[in-house]
Amino acid sequence: EEARVRAEAAEYRARASDELRVKNDEIMDSLRYAERIQQAFLPNETMLREAFPEQFILWQPKDIVSGDFYWFHATPDADLIALADCTGH
């Protein structure tokens, strides 16, 4: 009886571990995809350097995806830049 209980517990732990691994992989895939989308929306750094030659960008997400982002738009009359924090902190 005790051996059967141990075997069932071991099987349960193995199944639970496999399920967690699959879910973690799915979450990580989703975060990596979100990172790609976020990177695609960030301004071109070359354009920023041309508009603001003495400045630099330090953008280091704490995790894979950041709640912070920056935006840039050049017009004939002005160069516009915005910095935003969307994390809700």
Side-chain angles (χ1 to χ4, degrees):
E1 177 68 24
E2 187 176 328
R4 182 184 62 77
V5 170
R6 285 185 190 181
E8 287 177 2
E11 183 180 329
Y12 174 79
R13 285 192 302 271
R15 213 171 34 249
S17 178
D18 288 344
E19 288 177 21
L20 285 172
R21 191 174 304 110
V22 167
K23 289 297 179 189
N24 186 62
D25 289 346
E26 290 172 355
I27 291 167
M28 292 304 296
D29 287 346
S30 179
L31 286 170
R32 281 191 214 73
Y33 187 66
E35 177 187 32
R36 289 178 61 200
I37 292 170
Q38 187 173 56
Q39 289 289 335
F41 278 97
L42 293 176
N44 180 306
E45 287 189 38
T46 302
M47 290 174 53
L48 280 167
R49 280 192 209 105
E50 289 173 7
F52 305 102
E54 296 182 18
Q55 306 304 318
F56 66 94
I57 297 170
L58 176 61
W59 188 70
Q60 295 178 311
K62 178 181 172 276
D63 296 307
I64 295 172
V65 179
S66 176
D68 303 332
F69 69 94
Y70 54 96
W71 172 86
F72 172 74
H73 182 73
T75 70
D77 299 322
D79 294 322
L80 309 170
I81 191 163
L83 307 171
D85 177 1
C86 293
T87 58
H89 295 264

